[in-house]
Amino acid sequence: MNTNTTLLKVSLAFLLILLSRAESKAQQQTDQPNILWIVSEDNSPLIGAYGDEFATTPNIDQLASEGVLYQNAFAAAPVCAPSRSTLITGVWPTSMGTQHMRSTYPIPEMIKFFPRYLREAGYYTSNNVKKDYNTVDQPEAWDESSNQATYKNRKEGQPFFSVFNTTISHESSLHEPLASLVHDPEKVPIPPYHPRTPEMKHDWAQYYDKVQMMDAKVGEVLKELEASGLAENTIVFYYSDHGGVLGRSKRFMYESGLHIPLIIRFPEKYQHLAPGKAGSKTDRIVTFVDFAPTILSMAGVKIPEYMQGQAFLGEQQLEPREYAQAFRGRMDERIDMSRSVRDKKYRYIRNYLPHKIYAQYIEYLWRAPSMRSWEQAYHAGELNEVQAKFFGTKPVEELYDVEADPHNVTNLAEDPQHQSILQRMRKANNKWVQESKDVGFLPEAMIEDIAKNTTLYEYARSGKYPVEKIIQAVEEVASGDVLKIMQHLTSDNSVIRYWAATACTMVGEKAAPAEAELEKLTDDPETAVRIAAAEALYHLGEKELALQTLNEALKIDNEMARVQAINVLETMKADAMPTLSAVKALVPDDPEVNNYDVRAARRLVEKLQEND
């Protein structure tokens, strides 16, 4: 009897094992794939798998040998928060008003952070650790979001979408020089736009050290996945949130700021989803706005109609895109606006505020020793033409042959042989900003006011924002035609008046015939228009009225109006001295207060006191 009982128990146990394996196998064949994102920060494809022989990245290189390497993957913006806003929504931030660095303007309720759709489809969603989505948070997108979040906390057999962010290669890793380095500063490759100052060489070598450390972290995440026994059911993405990290990369519209590494590994059971075999490369253009719809497509979840990206994997994938678009808005305390389109060979950049220099002082950027040394070399007259260009104003258009000029130093926009390419890409950019209803043409002081009552996405579609009319006016005033500029100064549209007044600063003394109209605009209902008119009047010699207008703007209850006014005042240098007391009033005693108007005000007070 005991023997029979034992045999029965063994038989039942064996049967249960077989049933469990059969159930597991069936689940693996029919269930949605697990998807794991490993996201690094602030790094271009300075990785061995991408051909960088100086880089030490064995784990990422191994991942590339097991997966598919994307040669043409691009961030939507060359800085983290706007890029992450794109990733989490599948919508262009320029359509939602989330394009400016670190802003919390709301987005419509219908636009959900995409992991929410995965949760509703049965996925366990976890995020470790960074969010930074540049809008009001939607915590319900995640089952778990913390520095301990992991797929391991899901229910047994539950598919997961899990994100692991590593901050090791972030810009801040260069703020304090390391005493000893693995990579040799004397051998480190440096792009032609950087001078080989001791600080520059050290920062570049330290950065390669940080990339090596980041690679080790990627290896740890992959080993943990293997140890969990889930690797054969998990599609792995590795990518960076944008390029970087030294000056003229992060925050800037070049390959160094926008081109990212992207490697996707497909286990054998999901090879049917892969665009190529293990160890292969693809030149398909993909960009961050495509990531959300792609993940939903791979998971078998219907892509919402409002998403503006194109799935590049899964059953809902579309034909390859021709261009990767990108944008630059306000970067911390400095106002700017550029847009870009990139095909497989060329990058086109449209600078909408070309009178603003590339190297506008940004407190956080200037914490890097390399950045300070670059500026010092500029003032000492030690730079060549390519290196000094960064400290000058911008052309309206830039065009680069990325294959021949990977560092984007030779602008072909005025080259007769490239005019047809320039026109094609200019047209593509204009089409994109119109179709996406780009709200970046609204000065941010106006955005701040609009966002109190509605979302910018809804505002742009309410009939109150004639984007085609505005873009046409922007292009007309950018041509420098003073008659057109004067015509638009009296427009019934405040956005067009702003751009016309701004164009007067761009053309300088040529705007003299518009002086009377500019004086009228210092009483405009819109603060942003008044500030733009004051800036133009200053350059026409009307300093007293300009300073009076700007001084009044500093007292407006609108942070972005104050930022705009301080940005203008800083360009006036010692002439801004009459506003010193009003600027000082913006600086609190608490050094921990770090709002963007406060950052800009601290800098201006410092510069004015130097000249006192």
Side-chain angles (χ1 to χ4, degrees), residues 191-395:
Y193 49 80
H194 279 166
R196 292 190 71 92
T197 65
E199 296 86 353
M200 187 68 75
K201 290 186 290 185
H202 188 283
D203 274 7
W204 266 109
Q206 184 164 317
Y207 180 55
Y208 272 99
D209 280 7
K210 293 297 180 179
V211 170
Q212 181 176 354
M213 294 167 64
M214 175 273 290
D215 175 82
K217 179 63 177 178
V218 172
E220 290 177 14
V221 176
L222 292 172
K223 286 178 183 177
E224 186 176 51
L225 181 68
E226 291 286 345
S228 71
L230 294 167
E232 65 180 18
N233 298 322
T234 304
I235 298 172
V236 177
F237 282 59
Y238 161 71
Y239 67 91
S240 171
D241 65 349
H242 52 77
V245 67
L246 281 75
R248 196 188 178 272
S249 56
K250 180 178 180 178
R251 301 183 182 86
F252 296 92
M253 298 292 280
Y254 299 114
E255 291 297 289
S256 55
L258 292 165
H259 190 198
I260 61 160
L262 170 63
I263 296 165
I264 307 177
R265 185 180 72 185
F266 302 82
E268 184 177 351
K269 65 181 293 185
Y270 294 119
Q271 273 298 314
H272 62 281
L273 294 174
K277 297 179 180 179
S280 66
K281 298 178 181 180
T282 175
D283 67 351
R284 179 170 183 156
I285 293 176
V286 300
T287 187
F288 277 0
V289 77
D290 301 329
F291 278 40
T294 296
I295 297 303
L296 297 182
S297 176
M298 294 169 71
V301 177
K302 184 177 178 359
I303 299 170
E305 291 184 3
Y306 67 78
M307 284 191 177
Q308 297 169 336
Q310 301 174 200
F312 57 87
L313 295 169
E315 293 184 359
Q316 298 173 77
Q317 70 174 293
L318 301 177
E319 290 298 311
R321 59 168 59 246
E322 185 177 2
Y323 300 107
Q325 296 92 347
F327 61 92
R328 169 181 162 96
R330 173 181 50 75
M331 294 292 168
D332 294 351
E333 68 268 34
R334 297 303 168 196
I335 294 169
D336 208 349
M337 179 178 174
S338 299
R339 301 290 181 264
S340 180
V341 293
R342 166 75 147 81
D343 64 13
K344 292 180 180 179
K345 183 173 173 60
Y346 293 97
R347 176 169 295 284
Y348 168 84
I349 302 170
R350 173 66 165 90
N351 296 308
Y352 291 95
L353 298 172
H355 61 294
K356 294 182 179 291
I357 66 171
Y358 293 102
Q360 293 189 80
Y361 178 87
I362 298 171
E363 187 272 333
Y364 201 79
L365 173 58
W366 254 254
R367 292 186 190 183
S370 53
M371 193 67 236
R372 299 194 296 272
S373 75
W374 191 5
E375 183 182 36
Q376 290 163 4
Y378 170 72
H379 289 302
E382 298 169 354
L383 303 181
N384 61 34
E385 183 179 353
V386 170
Q387 295 161 353
K389 185 178 178 182
F390 184 65
F391 295 89
T393 55
K394 304 184 286 287

Side-chain angles (χ1 to χ4, degrees), residues 8-37:
L8 180 61
K9 287 182 178 178
V10 170
S11 299
L12 285 171
F14 184 66
L15 180 60
L16 287 172
I17 290 171
L18 290 175
L19 288 171
S20 176
R21 286 181 177 176
E23 182 181 358
S24 175
K25 186 175 181 181
Q27 183 182 25
Q28 291 174 16
Q29 289 175 344
T30 61
D31 281 5
Q32 298 140 311
N34 302 323
I35 301 170
L36 175 69
W37 277 7

